[in-house]
Amino acid sequence: MSTSPPGGRLAPFSTTIFAEMTALAVATGSVNLGQGFPDTDGPAEILEAAIAAIRDGQNQYPPGPGVPALRAAIADHQRRCYGLDYDPDGEVLVTTGATEGVAAALIGLCEPGDEVVMFEPFYDSYAADAAMAGAVAKMVTLRAPDWSWDPDVLRAAVSPRTRLVLLNSPHNPTGKVFGRAELDEVARVCREHDLVAVTDEVYEHLVYDGEHVPLASLEGMRERTVSLSSAGKTFSVTGWKIGWACGPAELVARVRAAKQFLTFATGTPFQHAVATGLAAGERLVAPLRESLRERRDLLCDGLESLGLAVYRPAATYFATSDVASIGETDALAFCRELPARCGVVAVPSSVFYRDPEPGRTLVRWAFCKQPEVLRDALVRLKALVP
Ligand code: PMP
Ligand code: GLN
């Protein structure tokens, strides 16, 4: 069997940066602050709910759109948290993580040659998904230190071929939470040009400063928005791959059409367990959020004390630092050398930009790790500074 990288339109997407960096961490025995996964389990009651579902015989194909209990829990969550009403039959779709949600949305909603506007740095699968859909990605750049963007650039990115705007807030890798005025601007462009919005909200519950506002809750947006999220981050179960899409029936039907030929359906027992988790809501999520806030500050304070310029994130699992502040010129080279220099792995944010220049020296550090792991990493990173 050939192990050569793929050709054709997937040629630029051979190995994800997360796979490369986690393999490097394992091979070198480094502390892995690269890939964003927690190193502790989620709440015992949802783990027990998954085990109970398996013991209860929930082990065969579920209905393609998702088990009714989870679709009802998702609709209830959207109503309770955001005042958004969705019919669990037809307006809610369970996906295999938000990863499949984004892929199915782009494949289902775009025709070859359509354009998709997104913000860079972008979550890595977005550009690959656009390529799989035969769509063309157009970028609007977020710029440090506050990850602001120019509304004129958004307007200029829209053309008669634009089909949709893909928005990730809270945002990976920067940790930015798009504010009301920014969302208003995106919504205005969508309404003016009759665009669909697809939102990736997987970090919706991991906000430390400010407030997460779903784009769908803005005037005139519910009818044109597919909102995506996932249980992975909210309940520290990134390996379960339970995600969902909510939106008007005609848009969700297109996402479902793609989903049914990507995976058809998604892990039955985990769907039951996530339904339990969503029903418990804040009781399970608030302690995780508070502990992540402390770990964000532990990591950011530690990196700053080493002389690194740090952009403290308002949300997510990730902090960004500019390694130009310690004389580095290339984030990718820095991250590839870091295990040998210090025994720590991080992710170069430069790979999340199509135009690498604005991100050339930006490095992303995951803080969804136990405090002692973060402290160990900070001790190791002292080797960076004389
Ligand atoms: N979108 C963003 C912004 C992410 O950071 C991730 C990674 N967790 C995903 C989507 C993928 O989510 P899932 O694991 O639910 O597929
Ligand atoms: N979302 C995780 C991150 O940003 C990685 C998920 C993956 O490995 N694809 O680090």
Side-chain angles (χ1 to χ4, degrees):
M1 199 177 86
S2 164
T3 54
S4 56
R9 64 187 195 279
L10 296 187
F13 308 110
S14 53
T15 304
T16 83
I17 194 68
F18 310 119
E20 177 185 340
M21 289 300 162
T22 287
L24 197 55
V26 172
T28 58
S30 295
V31 178
N32 189 357
L33 304 188
Q35 196 176 26
F37 63 90
D39 58 357
T40 43
D41 272 337
E45 68 190 79
I46 69 162
L47 306 184
E48 290 302 329
I51 293 164
I54 290 172
R55 292 220 165 97
D56 190 38
Q58 304 289 345
N59 301 305
Q60 308 309 327
Y61 293 131
V67 304
L70 178 55
R71 281 185 282 116
I74 293 164
D76 186 54
H77 169 270
Q78 296 303 99
R79 192 175 311 115
R80 205 174 62 226
C81 296
Y82 309 120
L84 285 164
D85 268 304
Y86 295 102
D87 181 349
D89 296 319
E91 294 192 315
V92 177
L93 172 73
V94 175
T95 60
T96 303
T99 307
E100 188 193 38
V102 180
L106 295 197
I107 292 169
L109 293 165
C110 294
E111 297 303 320
D114 281 355
E115 293 175 2
V116 173
V117 175
M118 57 180 84
F119 293 82
E120 69 174 358
F122 54 86
Y123 184 58
D124 69 337
S125 70
Y126 295 0
D129 291 337
M132 286 192 275
V136 178
K138 298 278 177 177
M139 300 295 169
V140 178
T141 303
L142 305 176
R143 291 182 192 278
D146 55 356
W147 312 114
S148 57
W149 48 281
D150 182 344
D152 290 339
V153 174
L154 173 63
R155 288 176 179 281
V158 174
S159 84
R161 292 309 310 261
T162 307
R163 170 71 175 141
L164 63 83
V165 175
L166 173 54
L167 178 74
N168 170 214
S169 180
H171 181 264
N172 179 7
T174 65
K176 173 189 177 75
V177 179
F178 281 69
R180 286 247 175 213
E182 292 174 304
L183 295 171
D184 274 337
E185 195 59 43
V186 174
R188 191 172 313 128
V189 168
C190 290
R191 286 190 306 259
E192 273 174 24
H193 297 272
D194 196 21
L195 307 178
V196 171
V198 174
T199 61
D200 175 346
E201 306 178 36
V202 301
Y203 299 99
E204 61 186 318
H205 292 297
L206 304 184
V207 176
Y208 318 113
D209 306 316
E211 183 197 7
H212 171 61
V213 177
L215 189 64
S217 67
L218 273 65
E219 198 194 327
M221 291 308 288
R222 187 206 176 279
E223 67 240 42
R224 60 176 70 252
T225 302
V226 175
S227 306
L228 306 172
S229 193
S230 141
K233 309 299 168 356
T234 300
F235 300 118
S236 303
V237 290
T238 59
W240 285 14
K241 303 297 293 184
I242 302 294
W244 50 87
C246 297
E250 61 277 17
L251 296 182
V252 169
R254 283 166 160 262
V255 183
R256 190 171 61 237
K259 187 242 153 64
Q260 69 187 346
F261 297 111
L262 289 169
T263 54
F264 172 62
T266 303
T268 311
F270 299 125
Q271 291 198 40
H272 287 282
V274 170
T276 309
L278 285 177
E282 270 296 284
R283 179 168 61 77
L284 298 183
V285 181
L288 173 66
R289 182 168 47 240
E290 284 322 302
S291 116
L292 278 167
R293 184 201 307 277
E294 285 168 18
R295 288 180 273 162
R296 171 196 68 169
D297 292 338
L298 169 63
L299 180 71
C300 291
D301 292 348
L303 292 174
E304 275 171 358
S305 73
L306 296 174
L308 276 154
V310 177
Y311 304 118
R312 197 169 295 241
T316 77
Y317 280 168
F318 310 110
T320 299
S321 63
D322 189 339
V323 292
S325 55
I326 52 166
E328 298 290 333
T329 54
D330 184 313
L332 182 57
F334 171 81
C335 289
R336 285 187 169 145
E337 289 161 10
L338 196 58
R341 286 173 72 183
C342 301
V344 175
V345 158
V347 160
S349 296
S350 45
V351 303
F352 303 128
Y353 289 80
R354 194 163 61 190
D355 166 14
E357 208 39 57
R360 192 169 295 285
T361 53
L362 299 181
V363 171
R364 191 194 84 170
W365 311 84
F367 54 82
C368 49
K369 311 292 175 181
Q370 296 173 62
E372 55 272 29
V373 173
L374 298 176
R375 281 191 206 99
D376 180 20
L378 289 166
V379 169
R380 291 169 182 235
L381 288 169
K382 282 189 181 151
L384 279 179
V385 282

